[in-house]
């Protein structure tokens, strides 16, 4: 039985102290007592400390949206994973399609970051997914297989079991176009089969695979009801506590 995990990715849309206080002080009492779903909020770096102050004794965990793979040094503008750990960060999103596309992060770089995160016990949420042109050209499976091979290169089964994968079709991110539950489930099954071949069935069965891309309260339940969809990574709908709460409730309901 895999515990669903809902991640709220605020991207660069919220992050002032006041916005952080407003959102999280409203979410904390809403989700109090929910222990069937892991809840993670990934704020911009500037809001992490404020967020941690509010959620530290609650069931909401703190996530970062990125990190570098070195601990320290002359890397202007980068963030050390050690700094993140010290301020209460438990999860880190790696390889989001916006990092890959806009900031040209390669699978090799993401693999280095992933190994680093694992080495210091930050829990990685690793994003993979295809562009619209790739889907239309029938290359979705090929792209996913390539990303899995490259991003998870040289990882042991034990390391793999600590990773959360987010399948995010890029055409569904921020567009309001959600993959249908059937489209998402098809890829989740494909990913699980690949993991089973690459590692083993037990490992593949234990890894949580989130769906991401225009999840809203209205479509969350149908997505989470699919056997291989273990929660979601939520962008736009994670900015308001009410909508995120509804999505968390849908994940909770999906296991009952
Ligand atoms: P969205 O973003 O929910 O706004 O589509 C999802 C994501 O990028 O993780």
């Amino acid at each position: 039985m895999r515990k669903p995990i809902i991640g709220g990715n605020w991207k660069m849309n919220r992050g002032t102290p006041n916005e952080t206080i407003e959102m999280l002080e409203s979410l904390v009492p809403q989700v109090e007592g929910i222990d069937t779903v892991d809840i993670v909020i990934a704020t911009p770096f500037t809001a992490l400390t404020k967020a941690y102050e509010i959620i530290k004794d609650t069931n909401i965990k703190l996530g970062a949206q990125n990190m570098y793979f070195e601990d320290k040094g002359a890397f202007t503008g980068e963030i050390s994973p050690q700094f993140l750990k010290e301020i209460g960060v438990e999860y880190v999103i790696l390889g989001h399609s916006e990092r890959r596309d806009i900031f040209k992060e390669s699978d090799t770089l993401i693999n280095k970051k992933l190994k680093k995160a694992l080495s210091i016990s930050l829990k990685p949420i690793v994003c993979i997914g295809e562009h619209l042109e790739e889907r239309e050209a029938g290359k979705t499976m090929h792209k996913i297989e390539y990303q899995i091979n490259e991003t998870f290169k040289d990882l042991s089964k034990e390391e793999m079991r600590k990773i959360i994968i987010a399948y995010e079709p890029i055409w569904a991110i921020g567009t309001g176009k959600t993959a249908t539950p059937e489209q998402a489930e098809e890829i989740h099954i494909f990913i699980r089969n690949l993991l089973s071949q690459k590692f083993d069935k037990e490992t593949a069965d234990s890894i949580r695979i989130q769906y991401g891309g225009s999840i809203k309260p209205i479509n969350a339940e149908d997505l989470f009801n699919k056997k291989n969809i273990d929660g979601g990574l939520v962008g736009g709908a994670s900015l308001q506590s009410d909508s995120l709460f509804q999505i968390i409730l849908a994940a909770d309901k999906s296991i009952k």
Side-chain angles (χ1 to χ4, degrees), residues 9 11 96 98 168 172-175 212-216 233-237:
N9 173 10
K11 309 192 179 184
H96 190 280
E98 286 147 21
E168 301 205 301
I173 297 178
T175 57
S214 297
I215 299 184
K216 305 277 178 253
L233 189 56
V234 186

Side-chain angles (χ1 to χ4, degrees), residues 116-133:
K116 180 67 198 185
L118 289 166
S119 77
I120 65 163
S121 301
L122 275 172
K123 299 174 188 156
I125 299 177
V126 181
C127 306
I128 54 176
E130 81 285 2
H131 286 103
L132 184 60
E133 310 81 73

Side-chain angles (χ1 to χ4, degrees), residues 45 64-71 78-82 84-85 89 91-95 99 105 109-120 122-124:
F45 294 124
Q65 298 174 15
N66 187 22
M67 55 168 249
Y68 197 50
F69 62 81
E70 297 282 2
D71 286 335
E78 290 296 329
I79 299 281
S80 157
Q82 297 287 356
L84 296 175
K85 274 214 82 158
V89 170
Y91 291 81
V92 61
I93 300 174
L94 295 176
R99 299 297 320 167
E105 289 197 10
L109 177 64
I110 297 159
N111 177 259
K112 279 190 181 167
K113 292 183 178 193
L114 179 53
K115 286 178 183 158
K116 180 67 198 185
L118 289 166
S119 77
I120 65 163
L122 275 172
K123 299 174 188 156

Side-chain angles (χ1 to χ4, degrees), residues 129-220:
E130 81 285 2
H131 286 103
L132 184 60
E133 310 81 73
E134 291 164 329
R135 175 160 282 263
E136 287 176 347
K139 293 189 176 147
T140 301
M141 310 298 197
H142 180 266
K143 171 76 177 286
I144 298 291
E145 183 164 3
Y146 182 83
Q147 284 185 324
I148 287 189
N149 285 336
E150 297 302 308
T151 309
F152 302 136
K153 209 177 204 142
D154 302 325
L155 294 187
S156 66
K157 286 178 207 169
E158 291 67 35
E159 287 173 318
M160 262 330 280
R161 287 179 196 187
K162 297 184 177 132
I163 294 171
I164 295 136
I165 297 177
Y167 166 59
E168 301 205 301
I170 297 159
W171 48 272
I173 297 178
T175 57
K177 258 200 218 170
T178 326
T180 64
E182 292 68 32
Q183 280 175 322
E185 176 74 351
E186 182 190 20
I187 305 301
H188 283 231
I189 291 172
F190 178 72
I191 294 171
R192 219 177 282 292
N193 286 340
L194 278 178
L195 295 171
S196 183
Q197 285 160 26
K198 244 178 108 64
F199 300 94
D200 59 24
K201 186 166 183 315
E202 208 190 330
T203 304
D205 284 342
S206 72
I207 295 174
R208 291 182 291 180
I209 309 176
Q210 299 175 303
Y211 167 79
S214 297
I215 299 184
K216 305 277 178 253
I218 196 166
N219 57 30

